[in-house]
Amino acid sequence: MAVISRGFGARRRESDPRLPPGQYLTDDFPVLSAGPTPRIDLEDWRFGIRTEAGTGASWTWDEFMALPIEDVHTDIHCVTRWSKLGTSWRGVSLDTLLDAVETDASYAMAHSYGGYTTNVPLDELRDGRAWVAFEFDGEPLDPEHGGPARLLVPHLYFWKSAKWVRGLTLMDEDEPGFWEQNGYNMHGDPWTEERYW
């Protein structure tokens, strides 16, 4: 599947300590997608969590928007080597969503509208480290950037922040998602350059 990319105008800033190794600073917000951009009506949008035991919880858009909302200010880092510093988001913490289910799972698979998947250790989604975000820079999240809602896991490479997210499947064993099956690292820590296998 071809990767669609737009918006590169990056410059190298190797001396900035906020940049992980091998990254370039950009003021743009590059668009990278492994296929066409899904268009999801808010009336049809759902987010669900399915546990390893087959139980779960789900939210409509209105139910999701009634949950506690957090402002998130963070840097983001793409495996293609761009970094964007000081980004601003709004979303619902994964802590809030995971509180709705009982699980002993160790891993999660994120599922997106359009079929994209990515795996994340469940510990990486807890303790104020991940959100389902619906606003960027004070505006509703643009579909090209994953709107109406995307996963936001900013301490990992940005392919782990699945666009157009529709749910999580919780798992006892780790399994590769889309890019992980195609050579990307199973974890994706930008500070240790976990880019590929």
Side-chain angles (χ1 to χ4, degrees):
M1 185 174 294
V3 173
I4 300 166
S5 67
R6 295 178 292 285
F8 283 98
R11 62 187 187 275
R12 190 170 203 127
R13 289 278 303 270
E14 292 176 311
S15 62
D16 194 320
R18 297 172 296 171
L19 290 177
Q23 294 294 110
Y24 298 82
L25 181 64
T26 183
D27 294 323
D28 295 334
F29 193 169
V31 175
L32 296 168
S33 301
T37 299
R39 305 289 174 170
I40 303 106
D41 291 331
L42 297 183
E43 298 80 22
D44 298 328
W45 185 89
R46 300 286 184 279
F47 182 85
I49 299 176
R50 184 174 176 84
T51 73
E52 71 280 18
T55 61
S58 66
W59 297 264
T60 65
W61 185 259
D62 289 341
E63 291 167 340
F64 176 76
M65 295 301 290
L67 296 171
I69 293 170
E70 298 182 6
D71 293 313
V72 182
H73 304 285
T74 188
D75 304 334
I76 55 176
H77 311 287
C78 183
V79 72
T80 60
R81 299 189 183 273
W82 63 260
S83 289
K84 187 170 178 64
L85 303 180
T87 63
S88 296
W89 306 80
R90 295 190 86 213
V92 174
S93 171
L94 259 292
D95 292 317
T96 298
L97 298 167
L98 289 167
D99 281 347
V101 299
E102 291 187 24
T103 183
D104 292 318
S106 297
Y107 301 94
M109 183 71 74
H111 299 270
S112 297
Y113 291 95
Y116 179 80
T117 58
T118 190
N119 62 309
V120 186
L122 201 54
D123 286 348
E124 304 283 2
L125 301 179
R126 295 187 185 273
D127 300 323
R129 303 177 79 194
W131 298 264
V132 175
F134 58 87
E135 282 187 14
F136 173 75
D137 205 17
E139 299 291 335
L141 193 57
D142 186 87
E144 287 187 338
H145 292 299
R150 74 177 298 155
L151 196 59
L152 178 63
V153 191
H155 64 283
L156 299 178
Y157 281 124
F158 214 45
W159 92 79
K160 295 292 187 177
S161 295
K163 295 181 182 181
W164 316 294
V165 70
R166 64 177 178 83
L168 299 176
T169 300
L170 307 185
M171 310 176 296
D172 292 322
E173 302 291 331
D174 202 7
E175 296 178 15
F178 175 81
W179 284 119
E180 296 83 10
Q181 292 177 39
N182 288 283
Y184 280 34
N185 189 275
M186 289 289 280
H187 184 235
D189 180 355
W191 293 97
T192 57
E193 292 199 86
E194 293 179 333
R195 299 178 192 275
Y196 311 109
W197 289 354

